[in-house]
Amino acid sequence: MVTLKEIAKECNVSPTTVSNILNGKPKVGDDTKQKVLETVDKMGYKPNYIAQGLRRQKTRTIGIIAEDIVQFTTPEIVEGIMSNCEEKGYRTVVKNLRLYARWQDTWYGNESSYHSILDPALQELESIRVDGIIYVAGHARIINCFPQDFPIPAVMAYAFSNNPDIPSVVIDDQSAAWEIVSYLISKGHTKIGVIGGMKNNIHTQQRLLGYQKALFENQILYNPNWVRYAEWEKEGAVREARELFKTEVTAVFCMADRMAGGAYACLDEMGLRVGVDMAVAGFDNQNIAEFFMPGLTTMALPLKEIGDRAANILLQKIQGGEEPEEKLVCIPCTLIERQSVHQIKKE
Amino acid sequence: MVTLKEIAKECNVSPTTVSNILNGKPKVGDDTKQKVLETVDKMGYKPNYIAQGLRRQKTRTIGIIAEDIVQFTTPEIVEGIMSNCEEKGYRTVVKNLRLYARWQDTWYGNESSYHSILDPALQELESIRVDGIIYVAGHARIINCFPQDFPIPAVMAYAFSNNPDIPSVVIDDQSAAWEIVSYLISKGHTKIGVIGGMKNNIHTQQRLLGYQKALFENQILYNPNWVRYAEWEKEGAVREARELFKTEVTAVFCMADRMAGGAYACLDEMGLRVGVDMAVAGFDNQNIAEFFMPGLTTMALPLKEIGDRAANILLQKIQGGEEPEEKLVCIPCTLIERQSVHQIKKE
DNA sequence: GTCGAAAGGTAAAACGATAAACCTAATAAA
DNA sequence: TTTATTAGGTTTATCGTTTTACCTTTCGAC
């Protein structure tokens, strides 16, 4: 591989001059500059980022820690981070924790097993001397991932840090739930069931609040019997839907598209038609939603934007040294209207 | 950040000794070793991979070039690469070309626009001084991505290189198509339609060969009128299915699950039931397949294994210097049986 | 004619680790 | 006794850049 020094020798100048030219420093003559640039091109010189990093003590590299890269939310968040970083001349290195694969879909390991997975990844990023780190969670919760005095600037995406110094970028669950439940109400539904995720999960709780708020604003009584909890998966949702659809609900708000799939399956069992006999609303706008028949009305997650904002905050911190004024950024979701929610007459 | 030199001073030994201890070299006394290791731990020393990389002229980093990381096949291939590399002590750096996003879903840009996207990514990986590169394609074709005398060891995943020195790891399209069509035949179907992808695409052509082979082995006449081409997407498949289902076919082999979604939609329009009135088989086992109603019988892509094998080949080349004996590795797909294919009586 | 500033450079040190060569004392072998 | 070997180190150079400090020459102003 050709080095600066070789370019310098070829042009009869010092390595310093070549370096100055390539880095756009002033005080170089036009003819020298041209000759050097030509030689660089001719000899196929590629700057050595390793050597640069060592000397500059800056790598222009951002570390991304992903809880699970095959989780459906992750690639798009990562892509949001990457494209923003790339635009600003930063590289990214992804470490995949494979959390859910390792915990065999239990969603929650214990704290010590978590740290035995996380800490080596963190170590590694420190050894690479990344300039900053973004942690991409698979689902929202409060995570104890960065120690109190963590030396590298960091940002959380899609979850909260228990360390108050770390900014977090999350979705606005409550408003999103409010929006889609309000939509159901606008279509004439007043008896609206809910199939939530895990009961103590932040997504579930916030979305339930949004549901309650929408009901309250429309003076609809909140009936706790119509609120059921599955485990974010289709099977549990089928089970809960069977019970729920014994009641007089005309619509159901499922807190995940996968669970809406369970509601569809249950209705199919019962010989009822989605969007005709029962309205179903989802959440996530996972790619499966458009293949449901009829298409699932749902809330689209602003995944790419989450990554984008997280990167913005981190890079601002790194480049300008400024702390963001808001430590918690909530991004709104978007209603995607398909055919699973029908209009009914008000009673 | 604490350095080797500081550890050395603290322990009254030379930096070399500390380095030797940390790298497991022989010729160090047990007491010195223990003292150094304690100090390393106490002072929180993290080796500087940047400095290591510069001195060793090896970064233990593999570059991954992804055509599009949000393409459904990509994350799992990448995960396969990452977990294999991690196991062997290699890091990975992902560059996302965002090809399909940039080409606005046309699937094919022209050669010069392609290189204006690829070349900077390649340059960047060279500047990082990666030890090797894996190119992860979004769909199979012959790609002109590495120049003839490319100086860094490289491997293609999910597509072919036009440079014969570069090994490729791809799926065995023909056998997979043969397997699922044979399955249809085993269920009594003899009039089997096909909805393929783009006509000149390698996947399409190979899968068609598998289809023909299965027919031939069962002495079923090949009827070209039953073979239609959509563009890998649902909408085109609906269009083609409308025509196809005017014929006497009892089953259809769709070369992508998304297109099977189109067949489902068309059958729904016509008031026919999948898995009862018409058998539908897919390809990909994309996550949507299990949410189809009834569940879609399809071929699962060995994505993780593709990544795993590609990494194996690359690392062997890097570590041992051996060229792989086979330049083209085909990985078989797996039949996933759900409910979209029913048994019919033979005539 | 001298002083100051600017233009256009160069030399040497440094970033943090490691490889290669070298050193010393103790022990073993001849 | 002499020589060789080994254990347990140390010294020095080096990887490819960039930074800091320094050096000329030229030109314009006074």
Side-chain angles (χ1 to χ4, degrees), chain A residues 62-340:
Chain A
I62 300 300
I64 299 177
I65 297 188
E67 289 194 344
D68 207 326
I69 205 174
V70 295
Q71 178 86 341
F72 79 95
T73 48
T74 307
E76 221 172 313
I77 296 178
V78 168
E79 157 60 12
I81 297 170
M82 281 184 169
S83 61
N84 191 327
C85 285
E86 187 171 308
E87 211 170 275
K88 304 199 169 98
Y90 280 76
R91 287 170 285 289
T92 49
V93 173
V94 181
K95 295 292 305 177
N96 185 13
L97 302 183
R98 280 181 283 282
L99 274 200
Y100 306 130
R102 298 203 211 209
W103 291 342
Q104 291 160 15
D105 294 317
T106 55
W107 287 79
Y108 290 96
N110 63 42
E111 188 78 8
S112 89
S113 99
Y114 172 66
H115 273 97
S116 74
I117 299 170
L118 173 68
D119 291 350
L122 234 38
Q123 277 256 11
E124 174 118 348
L125 291 183
E126 290 188 69
S127 274
I128 300 177
R129 300 295 193 263
V130 295
D131 295 339
I133 296 180
I134 297 178
Y135 185 101
V136 180
H139 62 104
R141 60 203 192 282
I142 297 170
I143 308 180
N144 175 24
C145 52
F146 298 110
Q148 208 56 235
D149 53 348
F150 192 68
I152 303 176
V155 173
M156 301 280 298
Y158 209 58
F160 310 86
S161 170
N162 75 333
N163 175 344
D165 299 335
I166 309 283
S168 303
V169 181
V170 297
I171 60 172
D172 190 343
D173 269 311
Q174 190 176 330
S175 301
W178 172 86
E179 186 173 348
I180 197 156
V181 174
S182 298
Y183 171 81
L184 286 170
I185 295 171
S186 78
K187 290 288 189 176
H189 297 276
T190 56
K191 293 170 178 153
I192 304 172
V194 174
I195 298 181
M198 244 88 69
K199 196 168 181 174
N200 60 352
N201 173 273
I202 295 184
H203 288 305
T204 304
Q205 290 171 351
Q206 290 296 312
R207 291 174 196 177
L208 193 58
L209 286 175
Y211 165 79
Q212 291 169 331
K213 186 171 172 228
L215 293 191
F216 175 76
E217 285 178 4
N218 290 277
Q219 300 167 43
I220 300 171
L221 214 59
Y222 169 68
N223 183 340
N225 298 322
W226 293 347
V227 177
R228 312 191 66 90
Y229 301 94
E231 302 77 34
W232 297 113
E233 294 303 337
K234 182 176 173 179
E235 293 68 34
V238 172
R239 182 192 70 223
E240 297 303 324
R242 286 199 187 108
E243 297 304 313
L244 186 62
F245 292 150
K246 287 177 185 164
T247 70
E248 49 187 319
V249 300
T250 64
V252 58
F253 163 42
C254 301
M255 292 190 187
D257 292 348
R258 292 195 301 291
M259 298 199 296
Y264 272 58
C266 173
L267 290 166
D268 188 55
E269 262 178 29
M270 298 168 70
L272 296 176
R273 287 158 303 166
V274 176
V276 177
D277 305 312
M278 180 70 67
V280 178
F283 206 107
D284 290 344
N285 194 32
Q286 204 180 344
N287 63 346
I288 56 177
E290 57 177 315
F291 286 91
F292 282 20
M293 284 170 22
L296 179 65
T297 292
T298 188
M299 296 303 297
L301 300 176
L303 298 173
K304 189 162 178 194
E305 199 181 342
I306 288 178
D308 188 65
R309 291 292 293 275
N312 261 345
I313 293 171
L314 184 66
L315 293 179
Q316 210 165 56
K317 222 168 146 177
I318 291 172
Q319 298 182 313
E322 336 152 21
E323 285 290 312
E325 65 272 19
E326 289 293 335
K327 290 288 185 183
L328 182 62
V329 177
C330 281
I331 317 260
C333 302
T334 314
L335 181 70
I336 305 288
E337 212 175 336
R338 294 199 183 88
Q339 301 83 40
S340 63

Side-chain angles (χ1 to χ4, degrees), chain B residues 4 16 19 23 25 45 52 55-56:
Chain B
L4 254 199
T16 304
S19 171
N23 291 292
K25 295 268 171 71
Y45 169 75
Q52 275 186 350
R55 178 62 244 228
R56 290 184 172 150

